[in-house]
Amino acid sequence: FSTIIAYIDDQFERYLHDESGLNRRHIVDNRVHCCFYFISPLGHGLKPLDVQFMKAIHNKVNVVPVIAKADTLTLRERERLKRRILDEIDEHGIKIYHLPDAESDEDEDFKEQTRILKASIPFAVVGSNQQIEAKGKKVRGRLYPWGVVEVENPEHNDFLKLRTMLITHMQDLQEVTQDLHYENFRSDRLKRGGRKAPEPEEMDKDMILQEKEAELRRMQEMIAKMQAQMLNKGEGDGQHV
């Protein structure tokens, strides 16, 4: 998983370089604000690799644990696995993303939605790219001899809850990235003696920008000189009249 960690760090590095550059008004934010970590439903909780990986990234990105292929579990097995995973996350000191509490002035529907989303972690989801017919309508899901599992049916799995969490809490995810994960990266970079040398392509962009600004200053100085010469000439002509 070193490739994933390197990618997260690289996006922080690029943002730091752009933030420290001349053109800071148009920074493109490609930092990783959320990581869905998929956990196998076949085990009895977290595997050693799951623990190792999440602990390697939990100080760099918002980790959201997700149980994959939830249709392989009964509802009772699913709830048991969720509790087991949360217990092991706490036992190993893994930091996952925690949804913020709803503000007191929020409407009751939003408060209830937040409560349900919090209670659903880790989200147990089902995926499918097939459209099948269920109860006279086309739905995305999986067809089994015993029935149909609908991807977007909250009674079948947590896919809709996961999507709702991502949409309604995207701003908070970005703020946690900025205030916590990015600041940790930035302070660590400063402790180690400043930022990493930029890539050649980034250096070329900065050089082009600097050259354009220098050319603009030269043109402004030239125009100022021409205006001064015209003013002096006008004053001289006035004296000869």
Side-chain angles (χ1 to χ4, degrees):
F1 46 76
S2 59
T3 303
I4 296 174
I5 294 173
Y7 178 81
I8 295 171
D9 285 342
D10 184 56
Q11 303 314 306
F12 280 149
E13 194 71 58
R14 289 176 181 274
Y15 191 88
L16 177 62
H17 176 256
D18 292 344
E19 191 179 50
S20 307
L22 297 173
N23 189 17
R24 285 174 286 185
R25 289 179 297 178
H26 305 290
I27 298 177
V28 177
D29 186 2
N30 287 322
R31 294 173 296 180
V32 182
H33 297 292
C34 183
C35 173
F36 293 152
Y37 185 76
F38 285 86
I39 300 166
S40 172
L42 303 179
H44 299 287
L46 298 178
K47 298 177 181 177
L49 183 61
D50 296 329
V51 175
Q52 185 181 1
F53 179 75
M54 284 195 281
K55 292 189 77 169
I57 66 170
H58 66 180
N59 286 323
K60 297 176 179 289
V61 66
N62 298 306
V63 179
V64 176
V66 178
I67 299 173
K69 300 179 180 178
D71 51 334
T72 61
L73 302 168
T74 65
L75 294 178
R76 183 176 297 178
E77 289 172 339
R78 189 186 305 174
E79 292 306 312
R80 188 185 304 125
L81 181 58
K82 284 189 175 192
R83 289 194 299 269
R84 179 69 180 271
I85 289 172
L86 288 177
D87 288 343
E88 292 183 348
I89 283 174
D90 185 61
E91 176 186 343
H92 292 286
I94 298 170
K95 304 170 189 173
I96 62 172
Y97 174 70
H98 292 285
L99 277 72
D101 294 327
E103 299 291 339
S104 58
D105 57 348
E106 295 283 359
D107 59 64
E108 293 302 319
D109 289 342
F110 184 78
K111 290 179 181 178
E112 178 63 13
Q113 180 190 81
T114 301
R115 187 194 65 78
I116 293 173
L117 292 178
K118 285 187 171 189
S120 300
I121 298 173
F123 299 97
V125 302
V126 175
S128 175
N129 56 7
Q130 294 181 334
Q131 293 279 344
I132 59 177
E133 187 169 334
K135 299 178 181 179
K137 62 178 182 179
K138 291 286 187 179
V139 297
R140 192 176 300 278
R142 292 181 177 275
L143 180 63
Y144 293 98
W146 45 262
V148 173
V149 176
E150 299 176 32
V151 171
E152 298 185 5
N153 188 332
E155 295 182 0
H156 293 182
N157 74 107
D158 297 331
F159 177 81
L160 278 183
K161 296 173 186 175
L162 179 61
R163 187 172 70 185
T164 299
M165 184 280 297
L166 188 62
I167 294 172
T168 58
H169 290 82
M170 177 55 71
Q171 183 176 347
D172 186 67
L173 286 163
Q174 292 173 333
E175 289 175 355
V176 174
T177 297
Q178 173 66 31
D179 298 338
L180 181 62
H181 302 304
Y182 175 65
E183 281 305 313
N184 287 341
F185 173 86
R186 185 170 170 273
S187 61
D188 182 62
R189 170 66 68 214
L190 293 174
K191 287 177 184 176
R192 290 190 282 126
R195 25 186 205 106
K196 187 174 71 174
E199 298 295 327
E201 182 181 349
E202 295 171 336
M203 293 177 65
D204 290 343
K205 290 180 180 178
D206 279 352
M207 289 179 64
I208 292 172
L209 185 60
Q210 290 174 6
E211 289 173 359
K212 286 184 177 180
E213 290 184 344
E215 183 179 354
L216 181 60
R217 285 195 298 269
R218 286 195 297 269
M219 290 179 64
Q220 289 173 338
E221 291 172 358
M222 187 182 302
I223 292 172
K225 287 181 181 178
M226 291 174 63
Q227 289 175 336
Q229 289 174 355
M230 291 176 65
L231 182 61
N232 291 335
K233 182 178 179 182
E235 290 176 350
D237 291 343
Q239 292 174 356
H240 289 298
V241 174

